[in-house]
Amino acid sequence: MNSYGKAAIGIMTTFFIIIFSTVLMPMYVFNPKATGHGNDYVATKDGDAHRGRQIYVREGCFYCHSQFTRLQDRGYGPLVRAGDYYKDNDQTYETPHVLGTARTGPDLTNEGGRMSSEWQKAHLVEPRAVKPGSIMPSFSYLNDQDMNDLVTYIQSLGNMRKVQHFVQAPDEYRDTTELGQKLLARKTVDTNSSSAANAGRGIFTQNCAVCHGLEGYGNGPNAITLEKKPANFSRPFYQQYPDDFWFYRVSEGVPGTRMPRFGEVLTEEQRWYLVAYLKTLPKDKEVVIDNIDQLDKVPPIRLPKLSEQQYEPHTGG
């Protein structure tokens, strides 16, 4: 056998190994248990979600939309789990899968219940009437039954993926992921202790008071120059923040504001101390700052007058 034949055999062997390891083997090895955390395709008086899924596949909706939130996704709702794609009713996996990859349109993992059924139908009939600039084609050609079933399916997406709290940190900061579990396992600071809050006050004064003010009222010296005003931590709203959400905000900042990512400046221990202090700031009634005179002032620093020398003398050792 010449070298070309050997090369062809090697290429084909490699090809079949790749196909076997990525397609065939997972079919038998991947065996997650049902989580009760995914979608419940029930039939209602308005439509049949299971049939609507078939229409979703038939119309190629998954070419542009995905149904898979990843660890790095923010603002998409709860992350998916392997068992979410397990069907309890007939003990089979969802086939064909509609995970999608392109995301030309928004992710639909937790779309159910975000908009009313009337809005979803109007969006399918004339997308640009409700979302100007949308490149989604019109599906006005669907008959009433198909349209109702498709809308019912869309409204079922994520209907078993419940958010338990109004304010919730991303999964990598909670014990729902391996990263979150490692983070919480490294935590050594008692964020409910007064000693930790006292240590955190010093960190707050050094790093945060220039914007948020010495007492956290959002009245720091920098506040007057910022278009997006610093948060006023006296608001009762902040009482609902759990430790992991405080830590998340301190670590990654707030997009669209001047709040920096202190995860790049402070150690994990320092950030937990800061969390302990921040938890002491919310009050039962907000302290309102509505006057420039209420801003914290920076005391003027009097520098010594220079002599007749042209340059300031060196002050090093």
Side-chain angles (χ1 to χ4, degrees):
M1 182 182 296
N2 58 33
S3 58
Y4 289 106
K6 293 179 180 178
I9 292 176
I11 292 173
M12 293 300 295
T13 301
T14 302
F15 175 76
F16 282 113
I17 290 175
I18 293 173
I19 294 298
F20 176 78
S21 60
T22 60
V23 178
L24 300 178
M25 186 172 67
M27 292 176 60
Y28 300 98
V29 176
F30 182 69
N31 189 30
K33 296 181 179 179
T35 60
H37 183 253
N39 310 323
D40 186 13
Y41 303 142
V42 297
T44 67
K45 60 183 179 63
D46 298 317
D48 184 347
H50 184 71
R51 183 174 179 276
R53 187 181 190 277
Q54 297 173 350
I55 298 170
Y56 182 91
V57 173
R58 185 191 73 194
E59 299 298 329
C61 300
F62 59 93
Y63 298 156
C64 296
H65 295 282
S66 64
Q67 290 186 36
F68 181 71
T69 52
R70 303 159 298 188
L71 189 60
Q72 65 268 33
D73 289 331
R74 299 293 175 81
Y76 286 91
L79 299 183
V80 297
R81 307 173 190 172
D84 290 358
Y85 303 101
Y86 190 94
K87 292 282 286 182
D88 284 326
N89 54 355
D90 55 8
Q91 300 296 304
T92 59
Y93 297 101
E94 292 192 357
T95 53
H97 75 76
V98 290
L99 298 184
T101 57
R103 285 195 178 174
T104 305
D107 180 81
L108 300 180
T109 302
N110 301 297
E111 180 66 20
R114 288 188 173 181
M115 298 293 185
S116 66
S117 295
E118 290 79 7
W119 186 95
Q120 294 289 0
K121 186 171 183 178
H123 182 237
L124 289 166
V125 173
E126 185 51 62
R128 280 154 293 284
V130 293
K131 295 193 72 173
S134 173
I135 62 172
M136 177 172 154
S138 171
F139 292 91
S140 57
Y141 56 84
L142 295 177
N143 60 46
D144 289 344
Q145 187 61 55
D146 286 356
M147 181 67 73
N148 290 341
D149 289 346
L150 180 56
V151 170
T152 303
Y153 168 70
I154 294 173
Q155 294 290 45
S156 73
L157 298 178
N159 59 0
M160 298 178 66
R161 225 172 265 118
K162 303 299 183 183
V163 178
Q164 302 298 326
H165 304 283
F166 184 69
V167 176
Q168 193 164 291
D171 282 37
E172 64 265 36
Y173 287 90
R174 297 183 289 125
D175 60 2
T176 54
T177 62
E178 184 178 353
L179 286 176
Q181 293 168 1
K182 290 180 179 179
L183 171 66
L184 297 177
R186 293 193 301 267
K187 178 184 176 185
T188 58
V189 177
D190 180 6
T191 53
N192 295 316
S193 67
S194 58
S195 59
N198 189 51
R201 181 182 178 88
I203 299 172
F204 180 89
T205 302
Q206 184 176 10
N207 296 277
C208 313
V210 69
C211 291
H212 292 285
L214 291 172
E215 302 300 326
Y217 298 156
N219 61 335
N222 276 359
I224 195 172
T225 65
L226 299 178
E227 186 71 22
K228 179 68 175 179
K229 298 305 179 185
N232 182 349
F233 293 129
S234 71
R235 295 178 60 195
F237 170 84
Y238 291 104
Q239 293 180 1
Q240 67 176 302
Y241 275 25
D243 287 7
D244 53 20
F245 196 86
W246 279 119
F247 188 84
Y248 155 61
R249 277 304 186 207
V250 169
S251 299
E252 300 199 18
V254 181
T257 73
R258 292 292 298 275
M259 171 77 176
R261 301 178 64 184
F262 281 109
E264 300 178 354
V265 180
L266 304 177
T267 65
E268 283 188 8
E269 185 180 37
Q270 289 175 317
R271 280 175 275 158
W272 283 120
Y273 280 128
L274 188 54
V275 168
Y277 175 67
L278 290 170
K279 290 170 60 177
T280 68
L281 298 179
K283 304 182 182 303
D284 293 331
K285 185 177 181 181
E286 178 182 355
V287 178
V288 178
I289 302 298
D290 58 2
N291 193 301
I292 293 180
D293 294 335
Q294 294 176 276
L295 294 180
D296 289 337
K297 302 296 192 300
V298 176
I301 299 176
R302 302 295 182 182
L303 295 176
K305 292 183 179 181
L306 297 178
S307 64
E308 300 299 329
Q309 299 179 72
Q310 187 174 1
Y311 301 104
E312 185 176 359
H314 179 60
T315 57

